[in-house]
Amino acid sequence: MSDLRNIVILTGAGISAESGIDTFRADGGLWEQHRIEDVATPEGFARDPDLVLGFYDQRRAAVQTKHPNPAHIALARLDREWSARPNHNLLIVTQNVDDLHERAGAAHVHHMHGELLSALCTSCEMRSPWTGAMIERPPCPMCKAPTLRPDVVWFGEMPYQMDRIYGALRNADLFVSIGTSGAVYPAAGFVRDAREMGVETLELNLERSEGSAWFGESRLGPASELVPTWVDEVLAR
Ligand code: OAD
């Protein structure tokens, strides 16, 4: 492509797998250890809040012991160097609730499925940075009500700021999907949306994703190897 300016990158659990964070759909992955209906739906939370708060408390504590891997670090470098070029834009749309993109130094990150290190108050609806546990029902930092929940988008809820994502896709020259199985919509549909808008598409994944056939190009392998190589290629343009 001769005139590459605007890049949208979608990331999923596969990019954090080599940092030691479990993916969802692998053998032994999170959704084999827990039922989605129990821990990732508003109905599950209403039924057994302790189970749900405990599940996310554990994940929140675990993620703070993990570190960005070469794939996060390469994307942060791309973000920094690409966004510094005049009229060049980059947006990392992540389905991940960890903060490894940010800790690697990426600035343009949108968490469409929310964040483990954030609390959402069901009384005042404010979102607050949160690193500790919620199981003991701590007060909301804003309104003081003991009504915090994980600031994570559950099945049946609307991902954050879809208009921002579609706006970026409409202006994109390249859409890149990294480490996602393509099993969960609306993110799984971005590749088709991008193609319909004439955007070039690339997949970097360990294995072919469910939507693999829609991508103009698929490169298969571990993110820690594929992503730094691809970033070097882009920055050499
Ligand atoms: P999945 O667990 O569904 O898919 C992870 C993908 O990453 C798979 O296609 C793996 O082959 C690939 N993968 C694994 N290790 C990799 C590596 N080292 N390098 C590159 N790729 C690797 O996770 P997601 O697609 O992120 O949503 O799941 C999407 C959503 O489903 C999540 O955000 C979550 C979940 O339910 C909610 O909780 C709302």
Side-chain angles (χ1 to χ4, degrees), residues 12-14 17-18 23-25 31 95-96 113 153 155 179-182 184 205-207 221-223:
E18 290 165 87
T23 63
F24 296 94
R25 295 178 178 76
W31 294 155
Q95 299 168 89
N96 297 345
H113 288 169
V153 175
F155 286 88
T180 175
S181 61
V184 175
N205 209 44
L206 195 59
E207 60 198 358

Short mmCIF file of all heavy atoms in Angstrom, two decimals, residues 12-14 17-18 23-25 31 95-96 113 153 155 179-182 184 205-207 221-223, ligand 1:
data_model
loop_
_atom_site.label_atom_id
_atom_site.label_comp_id
_atom_site.label_asym_id
_atom_site.label_seq_id
_atom_site.Cartn_x
_atom_site.Cartn_y
_atom_site.Cartn_z
N GLY A 12 -6.76 -9.08 21.24
CA GLY A 12 -7.52 -9.98 22.09
C GLY A 12 -6.59 -10.72 23.04
O GLY A 12 -5.37 -10.43 23.10
N ALA A 13 -7.15 -11.69 23.73
CA ALA A 13 -6.42 -12.38 24.80
C ALA A 13 -5.09 -12.98 24.34
O ALA A 13 -4.16 -13.11 25.13
CB ALA A 13 -7.31 -13.46 25.39
N GLY A 14 -5.00 -13.34 23.05
CA GLY A 14 -3.77 -13.97 22.54
C GLY A 14 -2.55 -13.08 22.69
O GLY A 14 -1.43 -13.60 22.83
N ALA A 17 -1.24 -13.70 26.15
CA ALA A 17 -1.03 -15.10 26.56
C ALA A 17 0.41 -15.33 27.00
O ALA A 17 0.66 -16.00 28.01
CB ALA A 17 -1.40 -16.04 25.41
N GLU A 18 1.36 -14.74 26.26
CA GLU A 18 2.77 -14.97 26.59
C GLU A 18 3.22 -14.14 27.81
O GLU A 18 4.36 -14.29 28.26
CB GLU A 18 3.64 -14.69 25.37
CG GLU A 18 3.43 -15.77 24.30
CD GLU A 18 3.99 -15.34 22.96
OE1 GLU A 18 5.17 -15.57 22.71
OE2 GLU A 18 3.20 -14.79 22.15
N THR A 23 -6.06 -17.23 28.17
CA THR A 23 -7.04 -16.84 27.16
C THR A 23 -8.38 -17.46 27.56
O THR A 23 -8.50 -18.14 28.57
CB THR A 23 -6.62 -17.31 25.76
OG1 THR A 23 -6.57 -18.73 25.74
CG2 THR A 23 -5.26 -16.73 25.36
N PHE A 24 -9.42 -17.22 26.75
CA PHE A 24 -10.76 -17.68 27.11
C PHE A 24 -11.10 -19.05 26.54
O PHE A 24 -11.64 -19.91 27.21
CB PHE A 24 -11.81 -16.66 26.64
CG PHE A 24 -11.67 -15.35 27.34
CD1 PHE A 24 -10.94 -14.32 26.78
CD2 PHE A 24 -12.25 -15.15 28.58
CE1 PHE A 24 -10.78 -13.12 27.44
CE2 PHE A 24 -12.10 -13.95 29.25
CZ PHE A 24 -11.36 -12.93 28.68
N ARG A 25 -10.76 -19.25 25.25
CA ARG A 25 -11.29 -20.42 24.56
C ARG A 25 -10.30 -21.54 24.30
O ARG A 25 -10.62 -22.51 23.64
CB ARG A 25 -11.96 -19.98 23.25
CG ARG A 25 -13.15 -19.11 23.53
CD ARG A 25 -13.89 -18.55 22.37
NE ARG A 25 -15.02 -17.78 22.90
CZ ARG A 25 -14.91 -16.57 23.46
NH1 ARG A 25 -13.74 -15.95 23.50
NH2 ARG A 25 -15.98 -15.97 23.95
N TRP A 31 -12.95 -19.95 30.04
CA TRP A 31 -14.34 -20.39 29.87
C TRP A 31 -14.51 -21.90 29.97
O TRP A 31 -15.61 -22.40 29.87
CB TRP A 31 -14.95 -19.86 28.57
CG TRP A 31 -15.12 -18.36 28.51
CD1 TRP A 31 -15.17 -17.64 27.36
CD2 TRP A 31 -15.30 -17.41 29.58
NE1 TRP A 31 -15.35 -16.30 27.65
CE2 TRP A 31 -15.43 -16.14 29.01
CE3 TRP A 31 -15.35 -17.51 30.97
CZ2 TRP A 31 -15.61 -14.97 29.77
CZ3 TRP A 31 -15.52 -16.36 31.72
CH2 TRP A 31 -15.65 -15.12 31.13
N GLN A 95 -9.90 -5.82 23.32
CA GLN A 95 -10.97 -6.53 24.04
C GLN A 95 -10.46 -6.92 25.42
O GLN A 95 -11.23 -7.43 26.24
CB GLN A 95 -11.36 -7.79 23.28
CG GLN A 95 -11.89 -7.53 21.88
CD GLN A 95 -11.99 -8.82 21.09
OE1 GLN A 95 -13.00 -9.51 21.12
NE2 GLN A 95 -10.93 -9.15 20.37
N ASN A 96 -9.18 -6.71 25.66
CA ASN A 96 -8.59 -7.18 26.91
C ASN A 96 -8.89 -6.21 28.05
O ASN A 96 -8.92 -5.00 27.87
CB ASN A 96 -7.07 -7.34 26.76
CG ASN A 96 -6.73 -8.41 25.74
OD1 ASN A 96 -7.60 -9.19 25.36
ND2 ASN A 96 -5.49 -8.42 25.28
N HIS A 113 -14.10 -3.64 26.13
CA HIS A 113 -14.75 -4.53 27.10
C HIS A 113 -14.47 -4.12 28.54
O HIS A 113 -14.62 -4.92 29.46
CB HIS A 113 -14.30 -5.98 26.88
CG HIS A 113 -14.88 -6.59 25.63
ND1 HIS A 113 -14.45 -7.79 25.10
CD2 HIS A 113 -15.86 -6.16 24.80
CE1 HIS A 113 -15.14 -8.07 24.01
NE2 HIS A 113 -15.99 -7.09 23.79
N VAL A 153 -17.27 -5.27 30.67
CA VAL A 153 -18.50 -5.43 29.88
C VAL A 153 -18.88 -6.91 29.86
O VAL A 153 -18.09 -7.75 29.45
CB VAL A 153 -18.29 -4.90 28.45
CG1 VAL A 153 -19.51 -5.17 27.58
CG2 VAL A 153 -17.97 -3.41 28.48
N PHE A 155 -21.59 -10.20 28.91
CA PHE A 155 -22.43 -10.61 27.79
C PHE A 155 -23.83 -10.03 28.00
O PHE A 155 -24.37 -10.05 29.11
CB PHE A 155 -22.47 -12.13 27.67
CG PHE A 155 -21.17 -12.68 27.11
CD1 PHE A 155 -20.11 -12.99 27.95
CD2 PHE A 155 -20.99 -12.81 25.74
CE1 PHE A 155 -18.89 -13.44 27.44
CE2 PHE A 155 -19.78 -13.25 25.22
CZ PHE A 155 -18.74 -13.57 26.06
N GLY A 179 -4.31 -11.75 17.96
CA GLY A 179 -4.58 -12.59 19.13
C GLY A 179 -6.02 -12.66 19.56
O GLY A 179 -6.31 -12.66 20.75
N THR A 180 -6.92 -12.74 18.60
CA THR A 180 -8.34 -12.90 18.97
C THR A 180 -8.97 -13.99 18.11
O THR A 180 -8.67 -14.12 16.93
CB THR A 180 -9.11 -11.56 18.89
OG1 THR A 180 -10.49 -11.80 19.15
CG2 THR A 180 -8.95 -10.87 17.56
N SER A 181 -9.88 -14.76 18.74
CA SER A 181 -10.46 -15.93 18.06
C SER A 181 -11.56 -15.53 17.08
O SER A 181 -11.99 -16.36 16.28
CB SER A 181 -11.04 -16.90 19.09
OG SER A 181 -12.05 -16.25 19.84
N GLY A 182 -12.04 -14.29 17.16
CA GLY A 182 -13.13 -13.88 16.27
C GLY A 182 -14.44 -14.56 16.62
O GLY A 182 -15.30 -14.78 15.77
N VAL A 184 -16.47 -13.42 19.32
CA VAL A 184 -17.38 -12.54 20.06
C VAL A 184 -17.64 -11.25 19.28
O VAL A 184 -16.71 -10.52 18.93
CB VAL A 184 -16.79 -12.23 21.46
CG1 VAL A 184 -17.65 -11.22 22.20
CG2 VAL A 184 -16.68 -13.50 22.29
N ASN A 205 -2.10 -14.10 14.31
CA ASN A 205 -2.70 -14.98 15.32
C ASN A 205 -1.96 -16.31 15.34
O ASN A 205 -1.34 -16.70 14.36
CB ASN A 205 -4.18 -15.20 15.01
CG ASN A 205 -5.03 -15.46 16.24
OD1 ASN A 205 -4.87 -14.78 17.25
ND2 ASN A 205 -5.90 -16.44 16.18
N LEU A 206 -2.07 -16.99 16.47
CA LEU A 206 -1.41 -18.29 16.60
C LEU A 206 -1.97 -19.30 15.61
O LEU A 206 -1.25 -20.12 15.05
CB LEU A 206 -1.61 -18.80 18.04
CG LEU A 206 -0.73 -19.94 18.50
CD1 LEU A 206 0.74 -19.56 18.41
CD2 LEU A 206 -1.06 -20.31 19.94
N GLU A 207 -3.28 -19.22 15.41
CA GLU A 207 -3.95 -20.13 14.46
C GLU A 207 -5.02 -19.32 13.73
O GLU A 207 -5.31 -18.20 14.12
CB GLU A 207 -4.60 -21.28 15.24
CG GLU A 207 -5.62 -20.76 16.23
CD GLU A 207 -6.00 -21.74 17.33
OE1 GLU A 207 -5.49 -22.86 17.33
OE2 GLU A 207 -6.81 -21.34 18.17
N GLY A 221 1.42 -17.49 14.05
CA GLY A 221 2.56 -17.69 14.94
C GLY A 221 2.32 -16.96 16.24
O GLY A 221 1.26 -16.34 16.42
N PRO A 222 3.26 -17.03 17.17
CA PRO A 222 3.10 -16.32 18.45
C PRO A 222 3.24 -14.81 18.29
O PRO A 222 4.10 -14.33 17.53
CB PRO A 222 4.23 -16.89 19.32
CG PRO A 222 5.18 -17.56 18.41
CD PRO A 222 4.50 -17.82 17.10
N ALA A 223 2.39 -14.09 19.01
CA ALA A 223 2.37 -12.62 18.91
C ALA A 223 3.73 -12.02 19.23
O ALA A 223 4.14 -11.03 18.62
CB ALA A 223 1.31 -12.07 19.85
P1 OAD B 1 -10.03 -16.13 22.87
O1 OAD B 1 -9.55 -16.94 24.02
O2 OAD B 1 -11.38 -16.41 22.33
O3 OAD B 1 -8.99 -16.24 21.65
C1 OAD B 1 -7.63 -16.05 21.82
C2 OAD B 1 -6.95 -16.19 20.48
O4 OAD B 1 -5.58 -15.91 20.64
C3 OAD B 1 -7.05 -17.60 19.86
O5 OAD B 1 -7.40 -17.50 18.48
C4 OAD B 1 -5.64 -18.16 20.01
O6 OAD B 1 -5.26 -19.02 18.95
C5 OAD B 1 -4.82 -16.89 19.97
N1 OAD B 1 -3.53 -17.00 20.70
C6 OAD B 1 -3.24 -17.73 21.80
N2 OAD B 1 -1.97 -17.56 22.16
C7 OAD B 1 -1.42 -16.73 21.26
C8 OAD B 1 -0.13 -16.16 21.08
N3 OAD B 1 0.88 -16.42 21.91
N4 OAD B 1 0.08 -15.32 20.03
C9 OAD B 1 -0.93 -15.03 19.18
N5 OAD B 1 -2.17 -15.52 19.29
C10 OAD B 1 -2.42 -16.36 20.32
O7 OAD B 1 -9.90 -14.59 23.32
P2 OAD B 1 -10.56 -13.31 22.66
O8 OAD B 1 -10.70 -13.46 21.19
O9 OAD B 1 -9.82 -12.12 23.16
O10 OAD B 1 -15.15 -10.94 26.37
O11 OAD B 1 -11.99 -13.33 23.31
C11 OAD B 1 -12.90 -12.31 22.98
C12 OAD B 1 -13.79 -12.02 24.16
O12 OAD B 1 -14.38 -13.22 24.61
C13 OAD B 1 -13.08 -11.49 25.39
O13 OAD B 1 -12.82 -10.11 25.36
C14 OAD B 1 -14.03 -11.82 26.48
C15 OAD B 1 -14.37 -13.23 26.07
O14 OAD B 1 -15.60 -13.71 26.48
C16 OAD B 1 -15.90 -10.65 27.43
O15 OAD B 1 -15.66 -11.11 28.54
C17 OAD B 1 -17.03 -9.71 27.14
#
